Amino acid sequence: EAVGGGEAVVALESTIISHGMPYPQNLETARAVEAAVRTRGAVPATIAILDGRVHIGCSDADLERVARLGHKAKKTGARDLPLVIAKGGNGATTVSGTMWLAHM
């Protein structure tokens, strides 16, 4: 919606949430980063894969799920995307995975 409406969108990787710090600090940080993006007039779009489905612009419930999954979410780079999606897995995107999905 935001892209179609000409709004500025900031793609955010999700590996920092799952692998970067423990719960609940990871969730608090993810929410703070998204809030910072909003205060600067852009739309945050945290990207993750949940149950094999790509989420571009995670809901708060999605963010919490990624945060709670922690290391159970596969660190997902561009080369890993087909496997995680095909297996119906949970993936936290790295910068390369995020950039690839954001460009689609």
Side-chain angles (χ1 to χ4, degrees):
E1 292 176 28
V3 171
E7 296 179 70
V9 178
V10 177
L12 300 168
E13 58 103 1
S14 53
T15 296
I16 189 70
I17 302 167
S18 63
H19 291 73
M21 58 193 82
Y23 182 84
Q25 292 87 2
N26 56 357
L27 180 58
E28 293 164 2
T29 301
R31 287 174 173 159
V33 169
E34 286 200 349
V37 169
R38 284 187 192 94
T39 63
R40 286 159 181 81
V43 177
T46 300
I47 300 177
I49 302 164
L50 297 170
D51 300 319
R53 298 192 68 191
V54 174
H55 292 250
I56 298 178
C58 288
S59 67
D60 193 64
D62 295 337
L63 290 177
E64 182 156 2
R65 186 165 173 209
V66 172
R68 286 184 181 273
L69 279 168
H71 288 256
K72 292 177 188 169
K74 179 171 176 41
K75 237 180 186 183
T76 308
R79 70 178 184 183
D80 308 306
L81 291 168
L83 182 63
V84 174
I85 293 168
K87 287 189 168 190
N90 296 308
T93 57
T94 63
V95 172
S96 70
T98 298
M99 297 302 291
W100 197 90
L101 290 168
H103 184 41
M104 288 182 54

